[in-house]
Amino acid sequence: MTPVTWFEELESLLPGRAVRDEASLAEASSDFGRMIARRPAVVVRPQSAEEIARVVAFARERKIAVSSRGQAHTQSGQTLNDGGIVLSTASLSRKISIDKARRTARCDGGVLWRDLVTAALAEGLIPPVLTNNLGVSIGGTLSIAGLGISSFRHGAQTDNALELTVVTGSGEIVTCSRERNRDLFDAVRSGLGQFGIIAEAELALREAKSSTRTYFLLYDDLAKLMQDTRSLMASDRFDYLESWCVPCPQGFRRMGGEPTAFAEWFFPLHATIEYGSEAPPDDTRALSGLSYYKHVHTEERPLFEFAARLEPLFWLWKRGGYWANAHPWMETILPWDGAAAYISQVLAHYPPHALGGGHVLLWPSRGTTSQTPLFMRPASEFVMGFGILPGLPKEFVPAAAPLLDRASDLGFTVGGKRYLSGLVHFDEGRWKAHFGEQWPKLHDLKRRYDPDGILNPGVLPV
Ligand SMILES: Cc1cc2nc3c(=O)[nH]c(=O)nc-3n(C[C@H](O)[C@H](O)[C@H](O)COP(=O)(O)OP(=O)(O)OC[C@H]3O[C@@H](n4cnc5c(N)ncnc54)[C@H](O)[C@@H]3O)c2cc1C
């Protein structure tokens, strides 16, 4: 008689949920980074916390790796494994229930933020913080942090989570919140899927206003942009602040004896006010005292269109091939003092063509609006996020990666912390530099909640 393999056992334990067809395995072997390929033995598509718990108990007994996977928009293989189980939460995305009176939403962990926004807006509500890409899962962003252009007011998405239903690495289903099982609540938020799988989340919502007005401002001087964004954050004049660094290529200059491409960099700032039935914003007041080089445009949009404002860009990326390219994204969060010097130095040495079809993000925020313990950020009152987000043919990655790794290391030297969804080439020293005093705690949490180390092995050296 042919012996029954563990994946056949799993298939019979969860008929129809555990699959091994070529299309499912191929899809689960890659992520948005398109730099790493790992092929699992089985993809499981659970429908409930109980089904997740059965998978985890099964895997624990046999010491099989379980990688949780939302939409796999991470870029360094965080959702991948070789020969284990990929637990795809895309199947866990039916429940979205809005409590208008309490201003909360209860959702399955695999729900996409876009679907939550649609359901919440129908009740006149909206999540306080949205990522630029709404096509990602609630469980996925809560496991990293979930930053948005209103984070300077409302923190990360993890700060707006109220209660989570989690399946731990020991296979237990636990409800946790700030009041209940706080240790687990603090471990899974920004916990990189290391301590449990978020099956369900209760999230805070706020009242939504119907319209937005965005001022498209262009700066030719990073110091002026930083001065203005800092005073705008302090005054709460705008509801959203979104910024970039854009290169104006200047040709080649000699560096180290080699002709090297370089650019003059400019800094767009999109400053947005959300408004409802009250009078529209007063433009003169909104823009008074700001030191931009040019007011390029003013855009009026309904709130949903504003929340989904980057979808036309993502559509162009998909059409133009950028989406299918490799994405060695490097994002760091810098203390405000020192950010301008760091950014200027990195940009001066970053040849614009090394971005491929990508862009460079700036994310002015407050360092004090997030209280998520494992979302590491500098301890300063204001912080500046800086992200180099290239999209390149895979064969160009070996040339670009050292530049990005150097920028990452330089960030640590000025007190920066990395955003961990991107290109993470860390040895143990860098992990320690990133997690600082939380580092020993991570080991304790891992022993407690995932004693056999089956959840997302290989991502963190714990
Ligand atoms: C075009 C684009 C724009 C982006 N913009 C932003 C932005 O504005 N702000 C921002 O913060 N990020 C942004 N990101 C990064 C993105 O939000 C994160 O990578 C996020 O994790 C993606 O969600 P996901 O569903 O794809 O998660 P995945 O990549 O599938 O998973 C992320 C991590 O969480 C784990 N995980 C997934 N689901 C669960 C679960 N239910 N329980 C426990 N662990 C789980 C995974 O194992 C993995 O380690 C962007 C990414 C892209 C590609």
Side-chain angles (χ1 to χ4, degrees):
M1 203 174 87
T2 326
V4 176
T5 58
W6 68 260
F7 29 87
E8 285 165 336
E9 267 185 71
L10 188 61
E11 279 170 332
S12 53
L13 184 71
L14 290 163
R17 311 275 198 256
V19 296
R20 285 191 295 140
D21 60 284
E22 180 50 37
S24 303
L25 293 179
E27 195 203 354
S29 301
S30 174
D31 61 16
F32 184 74
R34 321 247 191 268
M35 293 175 287
I36 294 174
R38 295 194 187 113
R39 193 177 163 89
V42 183
V43 176
V44 178
R45 300 190 177 123
Q47 300 281 336
S48 63
E50 288 71 25
E51 288 189 359
I52 297 176
R54 280 162 78 185
V55 176
V56 171
F58 176 92
R60 191 179 173 201
E61 233 173 83
R62 295 161 181 80
K63 309 273 185 291
I64 298 166
V66 179
S67 298
S68 41
R69 178 182 178 97
Q71 294 299 311
H73 278 47
T74 31
Q75 296 121 48
S76 292
Q78 289 92 332
T79 63
L80 310 179
N81 72 50
D82 267 322
I85 298 169
V86 163
L87 198 130
S88 166
T89 62
S91 53
L92 195 63
S93 58
R94 279 172 307 178
K95 177 174 171 179
I96 305 179
S97 98
I98 308 290
D99 186 330
K100 193 170 177 174
R102 290 179 60 234
R103 294 188 180 176
T104 59
R106 191 161 265 284
C107 317
D108 285 336
V111 162
L112 300 187
W113 283 94
R114 187 189 297 114
D115 296 333
L116 172 58
V117 170
T118 305
L121 281 178
E123 300 294 343
L125 301 169
I126 191 163
V129 183
L130 293 171
T131 51
N132 289 344
N133 178 4
L134 298 181
V136 289
S137 72
I138 285 170
T141 63
L142 293 184
S143 300
I144 307 283
L147 305 178
I149 57 173
S150 62
S151 286
F152 73 93
R153 299 182 87 161
H154 303 291
Q157 288 176 333
T158 45
D159 293 292
N160 294 283
L162 302 173
E163 187 177 275
L164 302 173
T165 304
V166 173
V167 179
T168 67
S170 12
E172 269 181 275
I173 303 176
V174 183
T175 302
C176 59
S177 65
R178 285 175 185 78
E179 294 78 36
R180 236 171 120 188
N181 298 310
R182 177 76 192 241
D183 269 8
L184 182 62
F185 189 65
D186 286 346
V188 288
R189 291 180 304 144
S190 298
L192 309 175
Q194 289 293 314
F195 311 104
I197 296 153
I198 300 168
E200 200 174 300
E202 187 181 57
L203 304 168
L205 301 174
R206 67 163 175 82
E207 189 194 336
K209 297 180 180 174
S210 54
S211 306
T212 63
R213 179 171 295 180
T214 303
Y215 302 94
F216 290 31
L217 309 174
L218 184 64
Y219 286 75
D220 57 1
D221 181 336
L222 178 60
K224 284 185 184 165
L225 172 99
M226 288 191 60
Q227 195 183 318
D228 281 0
T229 48
R230 186 181 162 140
S231 74
L232 290 176
M233 287 191 280
S235 71
D236 277 349
R237 196 190 301 182
F238 289 97
D239 298 299
Y240 305 92
L241 294 172
E242 181 170 26
S243 190
W244 302 265
C245 309
V246 295
C248 177
Q250 298 295 308
F252 291 78
R253 64 182 169 194
R254 285 211 167 267
M255 281 178 79
E258 290 293 318
T260 307
F262 77 110
E264 180 69 21
W265 292 82
F266 289 82
F267 309 94
L269 170 67
H270 289 188
T272 300
I273 297 176
E274 190 180 308
Y275 68 99
S277 49
E278 70 270 24
D282 174 337
D283 296 346
T284 310
R285 208 173 136 254
L287 300 181
S288 72
L290 300 182
S291 309
Y292 47 83
Y293 147 68
K294 195 167 178 182
H295 174 189
V296 178
H297 176 66
T298 303
E299 181 75 5
E300 204 77 15
R301 282 175 285 207
L303 185 56
F304 181 80
E305 201 180 310
F306 174 72
R309 71 202 171 283
L310 293 187
E311 298 212 338
L313 174 70
F314 299 152
W315 182 79
L316 285 176
W317 283 357
K318 285 175 187 164
R319 223 174 135 222
Y322 170 86
W323 197 267
N325 269 335
H327 302 106
W329 287 9
M330 194 295 297
E331 289 139 311
T332 181
I333 304 173
L334 305 157
W336 195 260
D337 295 336
Y342 167 93
I343 293 167
S344 304
Q345 188 177 344
V346 171
L347 293 181
H349 294 93
Y350 202 84
H353 63 267
L355 278 175
H359 60 194
V360 179
L361 272 187
L362 285 180
W363 177 74
S365 193
R366 283 175 183 271
T368 48
T369 48
S370 178
Q371 262 78 50
T372 305
L374 293 183
F375 165 46
M376 306 311 297
R377 67 271 168 197
S380 52
E381 186 186 353
F382 293 97
V383 295
M384 180 62 99
F386 172 75
I388 306 178
L389 316 182
L392 302 164
K394 199 174 169 184
E395 57 272 25
F396 291 178
V397 172
L403 289 175
L404 297 158
D405 288 337
R406 270 205 296 280
S408 170
D409 285 348
L410 187 65
F412 282 129
T413 65
V414 299
K417 299 287 182 182
R418 284 290 308 279
Y419 194 64
L420 294 177
S421 61
L423 180 78
V424 184
H425 285 158
F426 281 7
D427 56 13
E428 191 158 334
R430 289 178 174 88
W431 281 114
K432 282 185 183 162
H434 176 78
F435 279 109
E437 60 192 27
Q438 296 286 349
W439 183 244
K441 192 154 185 223
L442 281 181
H443 289 80
D444 295 344
L445 291 169
K446 189 71 176 171
R447 271 194 296 276
R448 185 159 161 207
Y449 293 115
D450 181 21
D452 293 294
I454 58 165
L455 297 183
N456 287 6
V459 172
L460 262 186
V462 288

